[in-house]
Amino acid sequence: MSEFQFTRRGLLGSAVGLAAAGLAPDLLAATPALPKSPVALNVVDVAGNLALTQKAIETYRNNNPKLLSRVTFTKAPAPELPGKIKAQQAAKRVDIDIVLTGIDALSAGVEQKLWQPILPDFSDKLPKLDDIYLSGAKQMQALASNQGVCVVFCQAGPLLEYMPDRVKTVPKTAAELLAWAKANPNRFMYARPANSGPGRVFMMGLPYVLGDKDPKDPKNGWDKTWAYLKELGQHIEYYPSGTGPTMKALGDGSRDMIPTQMGWDINPRALGVVPKEARVQALQGFHWILDAHYLCVPKGVSAEKQAVIVDLLAYLLSKPAQATTYDDGYFYPGPAVKDVPLSMAPAESQKVIAEFGRPEYAKLIADTPQELPLLPEQLVYAFARWDQEVGAAKTK
């Protein structure tokens, strides 16, 4: 059994057994006591997650002034954050209390041992995740190595988004996409996978579309995928460092087609960055790659702050807080927790999704196989190899 397959219950059971034998009482960690005076928290978002959770975090702050005096929100690129945290930890001056991240920085932090284990250490103050999570969110939680907690979830993609007035023959297979890119040089674009959800999902989804040997093994099982990405890259001018520029390029007409995922399709059209009439297409043989955002705590955060963070996390997993994650469709659907229908979301969220959502998404979700993203070690390898062999001189 790998480290990603241990359950919280199993780990707790082992700890109890060892403690009863007098061998490992330190394994029975518990959440520190809540502070007697309020703390301030510094939240860094490397996934665009604040669009989904900031309102809930602010609601918690407003309702708990004796615990939380102030929250500072900042954003940073995912690839840069692990090095910054590592430097702070080496200097014993950690000033980042919470990281909101996708699988990218989570994976890098797991590999570099940057994160404070949340489970089972703090499970005494959290709901039983296996009981509350959607099945897909439960699978995504297994990727966190107990060092982060899934707070939002979606079946991401990969999908192609295009402007129908500029793309008359829409690619339906990987071969047709390559032929279209060759016939329309520099009109297709995707962002660097290490800092882009749609870019990452496009990369991880291709092995299923192409019928590669082992979609879970980018080192030995992606021969077709690596060859395809390199050939496709001959017809791509450059790779932006994040998803936003790809949406802007599609909207302003400098590009005609980009990879997307459900939330990145809905939200930019709702914001007017991409025209409402943009359409999406799934390639033949595609599988959904699941995606999630996590709350992580760097090692070195004080016990008092840890206590408040865990209390905040418990609130973020509540149904009222989860209902706000529908937002304006950014991470559609959004909730990681069961029994949080769109009807519970704020009226504005319901209005946006009614206008900019797509009826075909429900059928695609129901009828298409769903796959976990790569495990942290494999994902870090895939990012590095893409950077070296594909992105190299073309990333901006």
Side-chain angles (χ1 to χ4, degrees):
M1 181 179 289
S2 75
E3 63 174 320
F4 303 104
Q5 295 170 305
F6 284 119
T7 64
R8 182 177 69 255
R9 186 173 300 166
L11 284 167
L12 283 171
S14 300
V16 170
L18 288 169
L23 296 176
D26 59 312
L27 288 179
L28 289 176
T31 308
L34 289 167
K36 295 180 179 178
S37 58
V39 301
L41 294 178
N42 182 15
V43 177
V44 176
D45 173 20
V46 297
N49 179 266
L50 288 174
L52 311 171
T53 60
Q54 184 169 342
K55 290 178 183 176
I57 293 171
E58 290 173 341
T59 297
Y60 176 88
R61 179 200 62 201
N62 294 338
N63 291 340
N64 295 275
K66 293 183 179 180
L67 297 178
L68 187 54
S69 61
R70 186 179 76 255
V71 184
T72 302
F73 299 104
T74 57
K75 299 179 181 181
E80 296 176 7
L81 186 71
K84 182 176 182 179
I85 292 176
K86 195 167 188 176
Q88 290 184 3
Q89 289 171 338
K92 301 189 184 304
R93 296 186 63 178
V94 176
D95 64 12
I96 296 172
D97 304 309
I98 292 174
V99 174
L100 300 170
T101 177
I103 195 71
D104 40 19
L106 168 71
S107 298
V110 168
E111 183 184 50
Q112 298 178 45
K113 299 179 172 58
L114 303 181
W115 309 127
Q116 162 72 40
I118 295 179
L119 302 170
D121 293 21
F122 303 147
S123 59
D124 58 320
K125 298 296 184 184
L126 294 173
K128 292 182 179 179
L129 301 184
D130 285 350
D131 293 345
I132 67 168
Y133 273 153
L134 293 164
S135 60
K138 193 182 301 185
Q139 293 181 71
M140 292 300 292
Q141 179 59 34
L143 298 182
S145 299
N146 293 328
Q147 296 177 48
V149 171
C150 172
V151 290
V152 294
F153 162 76
C154 71
Q155 298 89 353
L159 301 166
L160 297 179
E161 187 167 6
Y162 66 96
M163 294 307 304
D165 60 332
R166 304 199 296 266
V167 180
K168 301 302 184 183
T169 304
V170 183
K172 294 181 173 58
T173 67
E176 289 176 4
L177 173 60
L178 185 61
W180 186 92
K182 185 176 182 179
N184 299 272
N186 300 334
R187 305 303 296 177
F188 179 78
M189 166 190 279
Y190 68 98
R192 181 189 179 207
N195 198 41
S196 167
R200 175 167 68 251
V201 167
F202 179 64
M203 177 184 73
M204 288 190 290
L206 275 175
Y208 297 97
V209 172
L210 295 170
D212 235 329
K213 184 169 64 176
D214 185 354
K216 301 294 188 186
D217 183 0
K219 185 174 184 179
N220 300 307
W222 282 21
D223 289 351
K224 294 178 182 178
T225 297
W226 293 122
Y228 184 91
L229 287 170
K230 290 174 188 176
E231 188 172 359
L232 184 65
Q234 295 176 22
H235 315 295
I236 294 174
E237 183 181 9
Y238 72 96
Y239 303 96
S241 59
T243 310
T246 69
M247 295 293 159
K248 184 175 182 295
L250 183 66
D252 68 19
S254 58
R255 296 296 183 275
D256 299 331
M257 190 185 316
I258 59 173
T260 194
Q261 55 192 63
M262 288 190 290
W264 274 103
D265 161 42
I266 296 171
N267 185 250
R269 288 188 299 120
L271 295 175
V273 176
V274 173
K276 185 177 181 179
E277 57 268 24
R279 295 180 185 171
V280 295
Q281 173 71 44
L283 291 176
Q284 181 179 312
F286 102 105
H287 291 199
W288 290 112
I289 304 297
L290 303 182
D291 201 2
H293 290 171
Y294 303 82
L295 185 150
C296 297
V297 181
K299 290 178 180 177
V301 173
S302 71
E304 287 187 336
K305 288 187 175 185
Q306 287 180 9
V308 175
I309 291 168
V310 173
D311 198 58
L312 166 63
L313 176 57
Y315 172 70
L316 292 179
L317 294 171
S318 70
K319 289 183 181 181
Q322 285 284 300
T324 67
T325 66
Y326 280 102
D327 181 55
D328 291 339
Y330 167 65
F331 207 69
Y332 184 81
V337 169
K338 293 184 291 188
D339 303 322
V340 185
L342 179 60
S343 59
M344 288 182 65
E348 182 60 28
S349 296
Q350 296 185 46
K351 180 181 176 183
V352 167
I353 292 169
E355 183 174 357
F356 295 95
R358 298 187 190 272
E360 62 261 40
Y361 280 158
K363 181 173 174 55
L364 276 175
I365 290 172
D367 296 348
T368 307
Q370 300 184 15
E371 307 289 346
L372 285 171
L374 297 175
L375 295 176
E377 183 178 353
Q378 283 73 34
L379 187 60
V380 170
Y381 171 86
F383 286 159
R385 184 162 175 180
W386 186 94
D387 284 345
Q388 181 177 355
E389 297 185 7
V390 182
K394 285 190 173 185
T395 300
K396 290 186 181 179

